[in-house]
Amino acid sequence: MPTRRLLHVLAFFVFVLAGWTMVVGQHDPDGWQKPTAPVKIAGSIHYVGTYGLAVYLVATPEGHILIDGAVPEAGATIVRAIEAAGFKPRDVRILLNTQAHYDHVGTLAHLKQATGGRVLVMKGDEGLLASGGETDYLFGSRTEFRFPAVKADEVIRDGHVVSLGGVSLTARATPGHTPGTTTWTMTVQEGGERYRVAFAGSTFVNPGTRLVKNPSYPGIEADYRRSFALLESLPVDMYLAAHAQAFDFHAKRERAKTEGPRAFVDPEALRKSAVASRAAFEKLVAAEK
């Protein structure tokens, strides 16, 4: 029988797929384009995304780092959120992402122009960015999931460290969802506490993906397995996902009004999410075999 956590994860990704369908049809029931007030999460980390799609600004004295974007229509919304959080868009120096899909890099071209920041991407996703999604192994033929193309300024590999203004983020390759899906890790301090943070790339298997027979890309099954193993083992205090609902962002931001950063602390959340995703993955692999 499926565990409650697995059912929760599966239900969430049904919601994600429905969101893709509705947004490209110019409906937005899940708030992918809807503005929401920015909020400080902990230390230098600020949420500056839309209601449904996360964008994180990591502030430093020498400029800022932005992680992820949203659907193309949300570019101006994110710029306004950066300003509402008290920062200048032109002070953003580096643009990172967790996965090169329409709903997370759709604004990247807009943000690169608005900020002047350099785009860094994990090896495997540089072609996706450059083609505006046309080379995606699953959605490449779907024009409704395309986005403005962006050429990466730097292509990185697993273990790459991005350092700026005393802040360091480490790129961990967690491929499968896209060939260059990336989980970014860092440590922040606030109120005398240190928090280990993971901005996690997705491990969901989109319907239609081929894992075993005529695989969607060579090595995809092994990539997913390595990603699950890494995410299940990472020591994390705060799990921050690319979709707000995936980590109960809106409930946690309400709690943070009285609890502060500890509202976002959940050391088991990333591991449980990876375990649940692995269970769903194994069912798909068994079905193909």
Side-chain angles (χ1 to χ4, degrees), residues 51-91:
Y51 186 88
L53 294 173
V55 182
Y56 302 99
L57 184 144
V58 181
T60 92
E62 297 177 12
H64 315 310
I65 302 167
L66 210 61
I67 303 174
D68 272 345
V71 290
E73 297 83 355
T77 297
I78 293 170
V79 170
R80 286 192 293 268
I82 292 171
E83 293 170 336
F87 302 100
K88 297 178 180 178
R90 296 300 296 185
D91 287 340

Side-chain angles (χ1 to χ4, degrees), residues 177-195:
H177 192 68
T178 65
T181 294
T182 308
T183 293
W184 292 93
T185 64
M186 68 178 296
T187 301
V188 296
Q189 296 188 46
E190 184 165 330
E193 298 287 339
R194 291 173 58 88
Y195 302 103

Side-chain angles (χ1 to χ4, degrees):
M1 292 292 290
T3 65
R4 180 177 298 179
R5 180 68 187 178
L6 175 56
L7 289 173
H8 173 78
V9 170
L10 292 175
F12 166 69
F13 283 109
V14 168
F15 147 85
V16 169
L17 291 172
W20 273 51
T21 302
M22 296 297 283
V23 169
V24 296
Q26 298 307 304
H27 301 287
D28 191 20
D30 302 311
W32 286 13
Q33 299 179 38
K34 179 183 176 182
T36 192
V39 66
K40 179 180 176 181
I41 292 177
S44 58
I45 302 172
H46 303 257
Y47 184 103
V48 292
T50 65
Y51 186 88
L53 294 173
V55 182
Y56 302 99
L57 184 144
V58 181
T60 92
E62 297 177 12
H64 315 310
I65 302 167
L66 210 61
I67 303 174
D68 272 345
V71 290
E73 297 83 355
T77 297
I78 293 170
V79 170
R80 286 192 293 268
I82 292 171
E83 293 170 336
F87 302 100
K88 297 178 180 178
R90 296 300 296 185
D91 287 340
V92 173
R93 303 283 184 255
I94 300 172
L95 299 167
L96 308 176
N97 68 88
T98 58
Q99 53 222 280
H101 274 157
Y102 161 90
D103 50 338
H104 305 294
V105 296
T107 60
L108 198 54
H110 182 101
L111 293 172
K112 181 175 175 62
Q113 183 176 24
T115 67
R118 298 177 66 249
V119 173
L120 277 64
V121 66
M122 181 67 71
K123 180 69 176 175
D125 273 7
E126 71 273 22
L128 277 175
L129 291 184
S131 71
E134 188 174 352
T135 59
D136 187 89
Y137 69 73
L138 186 60
F139 301 113
S141 62
R142 303 281 297 276
T143 57
E144 66 270 32
F145 295 139
R146 303 276 176 81
F147 51 86
V150 183
K151 182 179 180 180
D153 295 292
E154 184 176 355
V155 178
I156 62 175
R157 296 181 182 273
D158 183 47
H160 183 92
V161 177
V162 173
S163 296
L164 182 69
V167 170
S168 294
L169 290 101
T170 301
R172 301 307 311 269
T174 48
H177 192 68
T178 65
T181 294
T182 308
T183 293
W184 292 93
T185 64
M186 68 178 296
T187 301
V188 296
Q189 296 188 46
E190 184 165 330
E193 298 287 339
R194 291 173 58 88
Y195 302 103
R196 298 165 298 183
V197 181
F199 305 91
S202 176
T203 51
F204 178 62
V205 182
N206 281 309
T209 300
R210 300 180 306 276
L211 300 167
V212 182
K213 297 179 180 179
N214 187 26
S216 292
Y217 72 80
I220 188 172
E221 180 186 359
D223 276 355
Y224 264 113
R225 293 190 185 283
R226 283 192 293 269
S227 296
F228 293 136
L230 173 63
L231 294 176
E232 288 168 19
S233 66
L234 273 182
V236 172
D237 299 307
M238 293 182 180
Y239 160 49
L240 303 179
H243 287 266
Q245 188 185 20
F247 67 111
D248 297 325
F249 166 68
H250 293 287
K252 288 176 179 177
R253 74 179 296 168
E254 284 301 311
R255 287 170 42 205
K257 293 177 181 178
T258 55
E259 298 178 29
R262 294 206 62 81
F264 292 94
V265 173
D266 189 346
E268 287 295 300
L270 178 59
R271 185 188 67 81
K272 288 180 179 178
S273 178
V275 167
S277 290
R278 183 197 284 270
F281 164 87
E282 295 294 359
K283 289 180 180 295
L284 294 172
V285 169
E288 282 196 54
K289 289 182 177 179

